[in-house]
Amino acid sequence: MSNSKILLEVKNLVTEFKTDGGIIKAVNDISFTLHRGETIGIVGESGSGKSVTSLSAMRLIPNPPGRIASGEINFHKKDGTIVDLTKISEEEMRNYRGNEISMIFQEPMTSLNPVFTCGDQVVEAIVLHQKVTKKQAQEITLKMFEKVKLPNPQRILDAYPHQLSGGQKQRVMIAMAMSCNPSILIADEPTTALDVTVQATILDLMAQLKGEIDSSIIFITHDLGVIAEIADRVLVMYKGKIVEQGNVLEIFGNPQHPYTKSLLACRPPLGKRLSKLPTVVDFMEEKEDGTVVAKPTSVADAINAVVISDEVTRARRERVLANKPILQVKNLQTWFPTAKNFMGKTTDYVKAVDDVTFDVHEGETLGLVGESGCGKTTLGRTILRLAPAHGGEVIFDGKNLLTLGQKDMIEMRRHMQIIFQDPYSSLNPRITIGNAIMEPMTVHGVYDNDKVRKEKVLDLLNKVNMKPEHFNRYPHEFSGGQRQRICIARALALNPKFIICDESVSALDVSVQAQVLNLLIQLREEFKFTYIFISHDLSVVKFMSDRMVVMNKGKIEEMGISDDIYNNPQREYTQKLIAAIPKGELHDIQRRVGGVRAN
C-alpha cells in the first residue's frame, strides 16, 4: 500500500506504569502502520500490552500511574496533514476521540452508564461531535440501532443497560462507536465473553459497517480463531513487544515465533481428540534474564503428539457410562415470575429450565452447551439448590436434593461444588487465598486443626500449579488464570464427588484456558471426579466431555456422545452453533482474503 493510504503510524511507542516494584514498560518500543480500509488484528494474552496500545492511541492512559514515555502516534487527516496525538492538548484530543477514533471496550456493562438509557448515551455522543439537534441525534441513534440489528430498536432506545443481554449491550456499544463515522474503530476484546453465534453476528456486522463508513479497524483479542475471521494483517504481542507481524495468511500458514505457534496450537481442535492441549511451554522456554529459547516444535507436531485414537476415546466412554448414575435430573423446572395481576398473583413466567431430564454417570464429564439465556447456568444452579426449582427431581447419591432440609443439604454440599465463571467476584477481596481455601474445611469440620488444614491447602495449591508463598496473598494480586486455579483449589478442598464448572474458562486467554482445561482433566483422572461442564464454546465442551447436552430456550435440543453431535448434528440449532465456531482454517482464510499476499 502506498504512503498516501496510511491512516495511523505508531513509531517506537513506549507506555510505562509506575509501581511499588519500579517502572513497568507495558508497551515497549513498538511500531506499526494502519492503512485506510484495513483491519489489523492485535493478538496476545493478558499482560502482553495489546489493550495498553489501544488506550495509548486514544490517550486514555491513567496518569498517574501511567504515561506515554516516548514515541509517536501519527494520525493522517483527510486533508493530508499529520498530527502526533501524543503531542496535542487534552482539549484538542477530545476532537479526535469518538469522532475520528472510536473504541469498543471489552465489558459493555462497565462502559455504559447504568443510570442513563442506552438511547440517551448514544445521543450524547452524537450531539457532542456533530452539529445536530437532540431530535436529529435520536433519529440517527434509531437508525444505528437498526443497522446493528438490535431487536425492537425503539424499545432499546428507552431501555437501561441492565435490561439488555450481553450481546445486545455490545451492539449498543458498536452503535455508539460507529455513530460519528470514525476513521478508526478500535475494538478491544469485543466478543470474548459472547456466545459463538452472537460473536459471528458481531464480526459480520463490524465488517459490514467498516465498508459502509470507509473506516479501518484495530481488532484486539487473545483468540487467533477470531483474528482469522476478520483481520487483513496480524500483530502478535508478548510482554509489551511485537514479536511477529505479517499478512494473516503468513501468520496462520507459516508462523515463525514460538509464541505465535503456541497461540495457534492451544485452542481445542474440533477434528481431533487430544489427551491434553499444547501450551506455551511446548514451544518455548523463557530464561531468568527474559530471553526466549525456541523449541524445535511445529504446531502440527505438538498436536499430533497428544492425539488419542478413537479406540481410546471409546474405551473411556464405555467405562464411565457403565458406572451407575451419580446424578439424575428428572423433569426439572425452574421458572421465574415476570408478570402479576392486581391481586399480586403471578400470571406469567420465564421458563428458564423447562422439563429437563438427564443422567450423569460416576466419573463422566457431561458437557452443557448453548447460547446465553438458554438456561444452562440456571440448570447448574438449580441442581445445587442455588436457585429454587418450580418442579421435578434432582437425585444425587440416591437422595432427592429438592426435598432435603437445610441441615441435610449443608452436609450434602460437601460432596457437590461449583467453579463459577468470574473468579474475582467469587473470591472475597478481604480474605487471603489461603484462608479462602481453608474456610470450607473449617465450616464442615474437616481435619483436626488449622495446622493440618493449612498443610492440605498448601498441597492443593501445589496441585493447581500455585506456590506456597501465595497462601497469604489477596485475590487482586493474581492474574485471571491464577484466580481461576485458586477457585479450583477451593472447590477441591472438601474432596467432592461432583463439580459443576460454570463457564469457568470463557473469559480466559486461550493459552491460560488451555492450562486450566488440562488441569481439570488431570484432576478428573487423579480424583475420579464427575463434572458437568457448562460453556457456550462448543469446541471447549467437545474437548472436555464424554457426552453433550445442547440447550435452547430452557429445553434440551439434542443430547448424545460429543463426537457424534459435532460430526453429525441432528437439529438445526446445533448445526448453527457449530457453523458459528471460528475455526481459523487456512483454506477459509484464503477464501476470505482471495489469496492476497503481504504488502
PDB file of all heavy atoms in Angstrom, residues 182-197:
ATOM      1  N   PRO A 182     -16.346   7.182  12.473  1.00  0.00           N
ATOM      2  CA  PRO A 182     -14.923   7.388  12.751  1.00  0.00           C
ATOM      3  C   PRO A 182     -14.039   6.825  11.644  1.00  0.00           C
ATOM      4  O   PRO A 182     -14.435   5.895  10.934  1.00  0.00           O
ATOM      5  CB  PRO A 182     -14.716   6.616  14.054  1.00  0.00           C
ATOM      6  CG  PRO A 182     -15.736   5.520  13.994  1.00  0.00           C
ATOM      7  CD  PRO A 182     -16.936   6.140  13.343  1.00  0.00           C
ATOM      8  N   SER A 183     -12.852   7.392  11.515  1.00  0.00           N
ATOM      9  CA  SER A 183     -11.874   6.864  10.558  1.00  0.00           C
ATOM     10  C   SER A 183     -11.274   5.566  11.073  1.00  0.00           C
ATOM     11  O   SER A 183     -10.938   4.673  10.293  1.00  0.00           O
ATOM     12  CB  SER A 183     -10.754   7.884  10.333  1.00  0.00           C
ATOM     13  OG  SER A 183     -11.260   9.075   9.806  1.00  0.00           O
ATOM     14  N   ILE A 184     -11.107   5.481  12.407  1.00  0.00           N
ATOM     15  CA  ILE A 184     -10.520   4.284  13.023  1.00  0.00           C
ATOM     16  C   ILE A 184     -11.452   3.781  14.118  1.00  0.00           C
ATOM     17  O   ILE A 184     -11.893   4.548  14.973  1.00  0.00           O
ATOM     18  CB  ILE A 184      -9.139   4.583  13.644  1.00  0.00           C
ATOM     19  CG1 ILE A 184      -8.158   5.091  12.593  1.00  0.00           C
ATOM     20  CG2 ILE A 184      -8.565   3.334  14.324  1.00  0.00           C
ATOM     21  CD1 ILE A 184      -6.841   5.589  13.172  1.00  0.00           C
ATOM     22  N   LEU A 185     -11.742   2.487  14.079  1.00  0.00           N
ATOM     23  CA  LEU A 185     -12.513   1.849  15.141  1.00  0.00           C
ATOM     24  C   LEU A 185     -11.586   0.871  15.862  1.00  0.00           C
ATOM     25  O   LEU A 185     -11.046  -0.054  15.251  1.00  0.00           O
ATOM     26  CB  LEU A 185     -13.708   1.091  14.556  1.00  0.00           C
ATOM     27  CG  LEU A 185     -14.565   0.332  15.561  1.00  0.00           C
ATOM     28  CD1 LEU A 185     -15.265   1.292  16.509  1.00  0.00           C
ATOM     29  CD2 LEU A 185     -15.579  -0.556  14.856  1.00  0.00           C
ATOM     30  N   ILE A 186     -11.394   1.090  17.160  1.00  0.00           N
ATOM     31  CA  ILE A 186     -10.590   0.168  17.971  1.00  0.00           C
ATOM     32  C   ILE A 186     -11.548  -0.728  18.740  1.00  0.00           C
ATOM     33  O   ILE A 186     -12.384  -0.239  19.500  1.00  0.00           O
ATOM     34  CB  ILE A 186      -9.672   0.937  18.943  1.00  0.00           C
ATOM     35  CG1 ILE A 186      -8.703   1.838  18.165  1.00  0.00           C
ATOM     36  CG2 ILE A 186      -8.883  -0.038  19.817  1.00  0.00           C
ATOM     37  CD1 ILE A 186      -7.854   2.739  19.055  1.00  0.00           C
ATOM     38  N   ALA A 187     -11.458  -2.022  18.525  1.00  0.00           N
ATOM     39  CA  ALA A 187     -12.332  -2.981  19.198  1.00  0.00           C
ATOM     40  C   ALA A 187     -11.477  -3.817  20.148  1.00  0.00           C
ATOM     41  O   ALA A 187     -10.675  -4.636  19.705  1.00  0.00           O
ATOM     42  CB  ALA A 187     -13.018  -3.874  18.164  1.00  0.00           C
ATOM     43  N   ASP A 188     -11.629  -3.574  21.453  1.00  0.00           N
ATOM     44  CA  ASP A 188     -10.793  -4.238  22.458  1.00  0.00           C
ATOM     45  C   ASP A 188     -11.548  -5.425  23.054  1.00  0.00           C
ATOM     46  O   ASP A 188     -12.402  -5.270  23.913  1.00  0.00           O
ATOM     47  CB  ASP A 188     -10.418  -3.236  23.567  1.00  0.00           C
ATOM     48  CG  ASP A 188      -9.450  -3.833  24.576  1.00  0.00           C
ATOM     49  OD1 ASP A 188      -8.947  -4.952  24.327  1.00  0.00           O
ATOM     50  OD2 ASP A 188      -9.189  -3.193  25.603  1.00  0.00           O
ATOM     51  N   GLU A 189     -11.216  -6.626  22.567  1.00  0.00           N
ATOM     52  CA  GLU A 189     -11.842  -7.872  23.033  1.00  0.00           C
ATOM     53  C   GLU A 189     -13.379  -7.754  23.023  1.00  0.00           C
ATOM     54  O   GLU A 189     -14.039  -8.085  24.008  1.00  0.00           O
ATOM     55  CB  GLU A 189     -11.368  -8.200  24.459  1.00  0.00           C
ATOM     56  CG  GLU A 189      -9.864  -8.340  24.608  1.00  0.00           C
ATOM     57  CD  GLU A 189      -9.375  -9.772  24.496  1.00  0.00           C
ATOM     58  OE1 GLU A 189     -10.142 -10.626  24.010  1.00  0.00           O
ATOM     59  OE2 GLU A 189      -8.230 -10.026  24.863  1.00  0.00           O
ATOM     60  N   PRO A 190     -13.987  -7.297  21.916  1.00  0.00           N
ATOM     61  CA  PRO A 190     -15.432  -7.031  21.946  1.00  0.00           C
ATOM     62  C   PRO A 190     -16.300  -8.279  21.959  1.00  0.00           C
ATOM     63  O   PRO A 190     -17.498  -8.186  22.182  1.00  0.00           O
ATOM     64  CB  PRO A 190     -15.658  -6.238  20.654  1.00  0.00           C
ATOM     65  CG  PRO A 190     -14.618  -6.757  19.724  1.00  0.00           C
ATOM     66  CD  PRO A 190     -13.420  -7.049  20.575  1.00  0.00           C
ATOM     67  N   THR A 191     -15.707  -9.461  21.703  1.00  0.00           N
ATOM     68  CA  THR A 191     -16.534 -10.668  21.620  1.00  0.00           C
ATOM     69  C   THR A 191     -16.083 -11.770  22.578  1.00  0.00           C
ATOM     70  O   THR A 191     -16.600 -12.884  22.523  1.00  0.00           O
ATOM     71  CB  THR A 191     -16.501 -11.244  20.184  1.00  0.00           C
ATOM     72  OG1 THR A 191     -15.142 -11.598  19.855  1.00  0.00           O
ATOM     73  CG2 THR A 191     -17.006 -10.240  19.173  1.00  0.00           C
ATOM     74  N   THR A 192     -15.136 -11.456  23.475  1.00  0.00           N
ATOM     75  CA  THR A 192     -14.509 -12.500  24.298  1.00  0.00           C
ATOM     76  C   THR A 192     -15.504 -13.334  25.093  1.00  0.00           C
ATOM     77  O   THR A 192     -15.416 -14.552  25.132  1.00  0.00           O
ATOM     78  CB  THR A 192     -13.483 -11.876  25.261  1.00  0.00           C
ATOM     79  OG1 THR A 192     -12.427 -11.325  24.474  1.00  0.00           O
ATOM     80  CG2 THR A 192     -12.897 -12.909  26.190  1.00  0.00           C
ATOM     81  N   ALA A 193     -16.453 -12.691  25.763  1.00  0.00           N
ATOM     82  CA  ALA A 193     -17.364 -13.431  26.650  1.00  0.00           C
ATOM     83  C   ALA A 193     -18.719 -13.705  25.998  1.00  0.00           C
ATOM     84  O   ALA A 193     -19.671 -14.062  26.679  1.00  0.00           O
ATOM     85  CB  ALA A 193     -17.551 -12.663  27.954  1.00  0.00           C
ATOM     86  N   LEU A 194     -18.803 -13.559  24.663  1.00  0.00           N
ATOM     87  CA  LEU A 194     -20.083 -13.743  23.975  1.00  0.00           C
ATOM     88  C   LEU A 194     -20.197 -15.142  23.384  1.00  0.00           C
ATOM     89  O   LEU A 194     -19.206 -15.796  23.101  1.00  0.00           O
ATOM     90  CB  LEU A 194     -20.236 -12.701  22.852  1.00  0.00           C
ATOM     91  CG  LEU A 194     -20.229 -11.230  23.266  1.00  0.00           C
ATOM     92  CD1 LEU A 194     -20.398 -10.352  22.029  1.00  0.00           C
ATOM     93  CD2 LEU A 194     -21.322 -10.931  24.280  1.00  0.00           C
ATOM     94  N   ASP A 195     -21.430 -15.584  23.185  1.00  0.00           N
ATOM     95  CA  ASP A 195     -21.685 -16.852  22.507  1.00  0.00           C
ATOM     96  C   ASP A 195     -21.105 -16.820  21.103  1.00  0.00           C
ATOM     97  O   ASP A 195     -21.005 -15.758  20.484  1.00  0.00           O
ATOM     98  CB  ASP A 195     -23.199 -17.081  22.352  1.00  0.00           C
ATOM     99  CG  ASP A 195     -23.920 -16.942  23.665  1.00  0.00           C
ATOM    100  OD1 ASP A 195     -23.322 -17.273  24.690  1.00  0.00           O
ATOM    101  OD2 ASP A 195     -25.079 -16.486  23.655  1.00  0.00           O
ATOM    102  N   VAL A 196     -20.801 -18.020  20.567  1.00  0.00           N
ATOM    103  CA  VAL A 196     -20.210 -18.071  19.227  1.00  0.00           C
ATOM    104  C   VAL A 196     -21.162 -17.532  18.170  1.00  0.00           C
ATOM    105  O   VAL A 196     -20.726 -16.912  17.197  1.00  0.00           O
ATOM    106  CB  VAL A 196     -19.767 -19.510  18.852  1.00  0.00           C
ATOM    107  CG1 VAL A 196     -18.502 -19.884  19.590  1.00  0.00           C
ATOM    108  CG2 VAL A 196     -20.866 -20.531  19.114  1.00  0.00           C
ATOM    109  N   THR A 197     -22.471 -17.731  18.346  1.00  0.00           N
ATOM    110  CA  THR A 197     -23.419 -17.234  17.343  1.00  0.00           C
ATOM    111  C   THR A 197     -23.498 -15.713  17.394  1.00  0.00           C
ATOM    112  O   THR A 197     -23.519 -15.047  16.351  1.00  0.00           O
ATOM    113  CB  THR A 197     -24.814 -17.833  17.575  1.00  0.00           C
ATOM    114  OG1 THR A 197     -25.148 -17.718  18.960  1.00  0.00           O
ATOM    115  CG2 THR A 197     -24.863 -19.288  17.181  1.00  0.00           C
TER     116      THR A 197
END
